[in-house]
């Protein structure tokens, strides 16, 4: 028989619990032992629990819970010591248990844990009832939670159904819109197919007309070629007749040449005498100065494309510049792009103008250098060298057109030489009576110094 506090027999010590201690009751028992643990001396503790004497109550419950529960079950003295400490802390609850009437408002788990430690009469029933009460409470909580979860799921289901109805309505509206759009696209597609068919028919008709026109053009080209061959034959005959006539004229022209030369000398002497008598000053304004152009310092030229012309001996240029009152017109960028295209435009201009100044000083010829000034973006700060006239074409006017204007401004018979490798420029000035020379020829002449 166990002993109660004061040495009285413990009537409940003989009772045995025939089922495992409920988890809730076990946790409360371990907490009671952990609270009483610190108020016991090390000697009063079982040997297996002394290592936890220095632990805090929470750490004892966490790390020594199983050991304390086992010691409480097997060591009656230790259980009684813990019970005494518990009586000191919970005197009212312990007194109610001793009298067999636990407080109705007390937690069943606390009552069962106290009964398990104190072992009063009927403690097994208290522990069993607490376990059953805990199970019922757990079942009620589980049922309540299940009801709440069921209600939440019902609400979610209702919300999902409402969302599904809204989504269905939206999808139906989108489907109707898509059907209408598809119908519209089908109508547009049929119209486009009709347009394509009409276009294909028009294309076939156009191809037929093109083939007919090509055949007619081929017939006309053949006729033109035949006419061209006939004209060339007639031109050959005319040139042969002209050469025969010239030959006959040269054979009988010596006396007439003497008379014409004598008349020319007379006219020249009379003109010189008239000039001295009238005291006419030398010509100060040249025809090239009357051509409308942009002066240096106002525009910046753009790069121009060059077209090739055959090269010739620079000695021909010396002979041309040696003619009386010769005027050399230079297509500036055409020459620089031919000679030194890798240099910047400003250095190209300065190098060419310096060489032309030397050429003017050596030959005494009038020299005009023309640069393309179309669509210029900034002014050109340029001081024309001595003996060289520098012109820039106006916006909208190319250097080629300015050169042709310069040639047309000269009187018929004056020797005008145009330096350019541009075939269009060369052909144009040749028709106007000037002599074209290749840019390469001028560059060779300038390289001699």
């Amino acid at each position: 028989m166990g002993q109660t506090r004061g040495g009285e027999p413990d009537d409940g010590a003989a009772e045995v619990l025939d089922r495992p201690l409920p988890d809730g009751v076990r946790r409360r028992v371990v907490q009671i032992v952990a609270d009483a643990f610190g108020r016991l001396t090390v000697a009063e503790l079982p040997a297996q629990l002394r290592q936890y004497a220095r632990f805090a109550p929470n750490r004892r419950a966490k790390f020594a819970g199983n050991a304390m529960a086992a010691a409480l079950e097997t060591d009656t003295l230790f259980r009684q010591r813990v019970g005494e400490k518990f009586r000191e802390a919970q005197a009212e609850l312990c007194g109610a248990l001793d009298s067999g009437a636990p407080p109705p408002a007390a937690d069943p788990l606390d009552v069962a844990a106290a009964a398990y430690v104190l072992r009063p009469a009927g403690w097994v029933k208290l522990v069993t009832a607490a376990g059953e009460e805990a199970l019922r409470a757990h079942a009620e909580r589980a049922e309540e939670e299940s009801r709440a979860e069921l209600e939440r799921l019902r609400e979610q289901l209702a919300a999902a159904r409402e969302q599904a109805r809204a989504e269905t309505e939206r999808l139906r509206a989108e489907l109707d819109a898509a059907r209408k759009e598809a119908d519209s696209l089908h109508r547009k597609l049929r119209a486009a197919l009709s347009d394509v068919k009409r276009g294909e028919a028009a294309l076939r008709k156009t191809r037929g007309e093109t083939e007919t026109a090509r055949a007619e053009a081929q017939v006309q080209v053949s006729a033109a070629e035949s006419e061209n061959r006939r004209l060339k034959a007639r031109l050959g005959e005319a040139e042969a007749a002209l050469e025969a006539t010239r030959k006959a004229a040269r054979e009988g022209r010596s006396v007439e040449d003497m008379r014409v030369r004598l008349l020319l000398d007379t006219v020249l002497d009379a003109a010189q005498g008239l000039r001295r008598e009238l005291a006419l000053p030398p010509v100060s304004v040249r025809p090239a100065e009357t051509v409308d152009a942009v002066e240096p310092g106002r525009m910046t030229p753009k790069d121009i494309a060059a077209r090739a012309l055959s090269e010739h001996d620079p000695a021909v240029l010396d002979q041309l510049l040696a003619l009386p009152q010769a005027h050399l017109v230079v297509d500036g960028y055409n020459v620089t792009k031919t000679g030194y295209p890798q240099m910047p435009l400003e250095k190209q201009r300065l190098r060419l103008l310096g060489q032309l100044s030397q050429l003017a000083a050596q030959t005494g010829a009038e020299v005009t250098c023309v640069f393309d000034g179309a669509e210029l973006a900034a002014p050109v700060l340029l001081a024309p060298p001595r003996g060289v006239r520098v012109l820039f074409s106006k916006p909208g006017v190319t250097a080629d057109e300015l050169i042709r204007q310069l040639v047309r401004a000269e009187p018929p018979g004056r020797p005008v030489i145009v330096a350019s490798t541009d075939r269009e420029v060369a052909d144009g000035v040749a028709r106007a009576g000037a002599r074209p020379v290749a840019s390469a020829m001028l560059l060779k002449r300038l390289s001699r110094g």
Side-chain angles (χ1 to χ4, degrees), residues 35-101:
D35 292 340
F37 204 94
R39 295 195 294 261
L40 298 175
T41 63
V42 175
E44 293 175 335
L45 295 176
Q48 68 271 26
L49 297 181
R50 292 175 183 176
Q51 57 179 329
Y52 304 110
R54 297 180 181 273
F55 282 29
N58 291 336
R59 293 193 65 202
R60 288 195 206 102
K62 180 178 180 181
F63 296 102
N66 294 332
M68 288 189 295
L72 192 69
E73 179 66 26
T74 58
D75 192 337
T76 303
L77 181 60
F78 175 67
R79 178 170 54 78
Q80 291 177 352
R81 289 172 178 169
V82 171
E84 292 176 357
K85 300 299 180 183
F86 183 70
R87 286 179 182 277
E88 295 175 0
Q90 299 288 340
E92 183 178 355
L93 177 61
C94 294
L97 288 175
D98 291 339
S99 64

Side-chain angles (χ1 to χ4, degrees), residues 35-280:
D35 292 340
F37 204 94
R39 295 195 294 261
L40 298 175
T41 63
V42 175
E44 293 175 335
L45 295 176
Q48 68 271 26
L49 297 181
R50 292 175 183 176
Q51 57 179 329
Y52 304 110
R54 297 180 181 273
F55 282 29
N58 291 336
R59 293 193 65 202
R60 288 195 206 102
K62 180 178 180 181
F63 296 102
N66 294 332
M68 288 189 295
L72 192 69
E73 179 66 26
T74 58
D75 192 337
T76 303
L77 181 60
F78 175 67
R79 178 170 54 78
Q80 291 177 352
R81 289 172 178 169
V82 171
E84 292 176 357
K85 300 299 180 183
F86 183 70
R87 286 179 182 277
E88 295 175 0
Q90 299 288 340
E92 183 178 355
L93 177 61
C94 294
L97 288 175
D98 291 339
S99 64
D107 188 343
L109 296 179
D110 291 339
V111 173
Y116 181 79
V117 173
L118 299 176
R119 301 291 175 93
W123 67 273
V124 173
K125 293 181 180 180
L126 292 175
V127 172
T128 303
E132 293 176 351
E133 182 65 22
L135 290 177
R136 284 195 300 273
H138 178 72
E140 289 176 356
R141 286 195 301 272
E143 184 178 0
E144 186 65 25
E145 290 176 357
S146 298
R147 289 197 189 98
E149 181 68 15
L150 180 60
E151 187 64 24
R152 186 180 63 81
L153 292 177
R154 285 175 178 174
E155 293 177 356
Q156 291 182 353
L157 178 60
R161 286 176 177 174
E162 184 64 26
Q163 183 178 2
R165 283 196 297 269
E167 185 69 16
T168 302
E169 293 297 330
R170 185 183 65 80
L171 292 176
R172 285 177 180 173
E174 292 181 356
L175 180 59
D176 293 339
R179 286 174 178 172
K180 293 179 181 178
E181 185 177 0
D183 294 339
S184 177
L185 291 176
H186 286 158
R187 289 192 296 270
K188 291 180 180 179
L189 179 60
R190 287 193 293 270
L193 291 176
S194 300
D195 293 341
V196 169
K197 291 180 180 179
R198 286 194 297 271
E200 290 177 349
L203 178 60
R204 288 192 295 271
K205 181 180 178 181
T206 303
R207 285 178 178 174
E209 294 175 352
T210 302
E211 293 296 333
T212 302
R214 185 180 290 113
E216 293 176 355
Q218 188 65 31
V219 172
Q220 293 177 2
V221 168
S222 299
E225 290 177 350
S226 300
E227 182 66 16
N228 189 27
R229 288 192 293 271
R230 186 180 65 82
L231 292 176
K232 284 183 178 180
R234 293 185 61 184
L235 179 60
E237 295 174 358
E239 289 177 349
L242 178 60
E243 183 62 28
T245 302
R246 287 177 176 174
K247 184 177 181 181
R250 283 196 300 270
E251 292 175 353
R253 195 174 56 181
S254 57
V255 176
E256 292 295 327
D257 288 345
M258 292 174 59
R259 296 176 63 185
V260 171
R261 179 61 183 273
L262 180 60
L263 178 60
L264 180 59
D265 290 343
T266 303
V267 172
L268 290 176
D269 292 340
Q272 292 177 358
L274 181 62
R275 180 176 183 178
R276 286 193 299 271
E277 183 177 353
L278 296 177
L280 296 175

